[in-house]
Amino acid sequence: MKKFKFELEQVLEIREFERQQAEGELSKCIAVENEINENLAIIANQYDALKKSTKGSLDFSEMMGQSQYANLLDYQKEQLLLQLAQAKLETEEKRKILTECMKKTSALEKMKELQYEDYKLELNQKENRRIEELSSIKSFSEN
């Protein structure tokens, strides 16, 4: 009997490749989000350090410098929050693309499994018929 061959194997391979690409792109987006979150944490730590250094200071020029630094940190934080919002939108888009790729791939994999099960069943039936033929030939020759 001929070997099992899934007719849509090339399509399945292409879909697998697309899924892997989508996973890679999603990973990149998540890495960008993580980097932005790390930068936000750094700014928060800098802001805390600034608050600690501001306590007890009576020098006006030092207070002005710290105020300007606080404004710079606020500006950086706002920019990072905007970038984070954009990154989250991109991540969600890539997640949807990956979900679609996974659906397409799993549908083809399911189809391949069903065809393979049919192939095995047909193979088993042919083997059983062959065994029955051999046993009937043997019993006919014994008579």
Side-chain angles (χ1 to χ4, degrees), residues 18 43 52 80 101 127 134:
E18 289 172 348
I43 288 176
K52 288 177 184 174
L80 286 173
C101 288
E127 284 179 20
L134 289 174

Side-chain angles (χ1 to χ4, degrees), residues 29-119:
C29 288
I30 290 171
V32 168
E33 275 188 48
N34 289 337
E35 183 180 341
I36 292 170
N37 283 323
E38 288 171 9
N39 289 336
L40 283 169
I42 290 169
I43 288 176
N45 289 337
Q46 290 173 341
Y47 200 74
D48 287 342
L50 178 64
K51 282 184 177 181
K52 288 177 184 174
S53 70
T54 305
K55 285 184 179 180
S57 178
L58 298 174
D59 184 14
F60 181 73
S61 63
E62 188 178 323
M63 290 171 56
M64 284 302 291
Q66 290 172 343
S67 175
Q68 289 176 343
Y69 184 58
N71 288 339
L72 175 64
L73 290 177
D74 285 339
Y75 175 76
Q76 289 176 341
K77 179 182 80 170
E78 290 299 319
Q79 293 301 310
L80 286 173
L81 288 173
L82 289 173
Q83 290 175 13
L84 182 61
Q86 182 64 35
K88 284 186 180 284
L89 289 173
E90 225 173 291
T91 300
E92 191 57 37
E93 181 182 317
K94 299 297 180 184
R95 192 170 275 125
K96 287 179 184 176
I97 290 170
L98 176 60
T99 302
E100 280 301 310
C101 288
M102 290 174 77
K103 284 180 185 177
K104 290 176 183 177
T105 303
S106 66
L108 282 173
E109 287 172 343
K110 189 68 161 171
M111 185 184 297
K112 182 178 180 178
E113 286 176 22
L114 291 173
Q115 284 185 7
Y116 184 70
E117 289 299 318
D118 289 345
Y119 166 80

